Structures are given as structure tokens and as C-alpha cells.
Amino acid sequence: MHSSIPADDEQRSQGQVLHLAQAKREDSMMRRRKNRIACAALLAALSGFAPHAFADCSATACKGIVEKIFTRADGMTFFKIAGDRSLVNCTLNSNVYFTLPGDAPGARNILALAIAAQSAGRELTVRIVEGSTGCTVSFATLDS
């Protein structure tokens, strides 16, 4: 026995299959397009967070990208800010680092700001104690 499908039903079935295949292709193309747009948006957003690499320093403060942070066992923390730090009115530790004693008021908060700035690739402004040995940080700001 041979079952036969009416011609109209067979054409409709083929048309539905073609329509589904076309819909899948369009869906795939739409997903690729959305992915490209999302990637482009992400790159554009990240490029907006790429501030200049040079510090903007004065006698009392320095603003720049935090290149390095390290803390000793005694709690003393050291910050290296990118760029020319020669204008600050203090003596940098090893001619490079700003210092933050671990027992200084707000030391944990300042350290948290420095870590956040470094993680986000954003500039940190540190205000120093003028004339201090080690360029002691008195406070810090992280601007948007």
C-alpha cells in the first residue's frame, strides 16, 4: 500500500520547512549582529575608562593611575602613581612611593580607594602631608 499526500499538503509542508530554515538563519544573523553591537559598545565603554598615563601633580597632591600598591607586615602601605611626581613637596619613599601608615586615621578607607582605582584603571588623587619624609598620604579621592 502506498499512501499518498495530496499535492497541496506536500507543497505546504515544504513551504513550512523552508520558512523555518529561513527563520533560523535570520535568528542566527540577528544574534551575531547583537553580539557585534554588544562588543562594540563594550569596547567604546572601556576606551572611555582609559585615562592618560601621566600623573598630574602639584606641591600638595598628585593625581594619576595607581601602578603599584604594596603593604608591609607592620601595616605601612606604599602607592606608586604613574607619571612625573617631581613637583610634590615631600620626599618620596625610594624616590617612587607615597606612604600610608597602617595606624593612620582612615588608612583602611584610603587603601580601599586605591585598590578600587587600580582595579578600575581610574585615576586616584592623593593629598600629601607637605614636607613629610615618605610623602605621607593624608587623604585620597576617586572622581568619576
Side-chain angles (χ1 to χ4, degrees), residues 30-66:
M30 184 62 76
R31 271 188 266 126
R32 282 195 300 259
R33 206 172 290 142
K34 284 181 182 179
N35 285 343
R36 285 185 197 130
I37 291 169
C39 286
L42 179 63
L43 287 173
L46 289 176
S47 67
F49 292 111
H52 59 82
F54 298 104
D56 180 19
C57 296
S58 68
T60 59
C62 204
K63 178 180 183 177
I65 298 295
V66 179

Side-chain angles (χ1 to χ4, degrees), residues 64-111:
I65 298 295
V66 179
E67 287 186 336
K68 188 173 189 174
I69 303 170
F70 68 93
T71 303
R72 291 191 317 217
D74 65 2
M76 180 68 80
T77 299
F78 301 84
F79 303 94
K80 180 181 179 187
I81 295 181
D84 181 13
R85 297 165 298 278
S86 64
L87 295 177
V88 291
N89 182 16
C90 58
T91 305
L92 291 160
N93 184 283
S94 300
N95 294 321
V96 175
Y97 300 103
F98 295 92
T99 59
L100 178 65
D103 60 354
R108 286 184 177 185
N109 295 337
I110 294 170
L111 178 57

Side-chain angles (χ1 to χ4, degrees), residues 11-25:
Q11 285 177 341
R12 241 181 277 150
S13 293
Q14 288 175 351
Q16 288 173 341
V17 169
L18 289 174
H19 178 71
L20 287 174
Q22 183 178 0
K24 284 183 180 181
R25 275 194 303 271

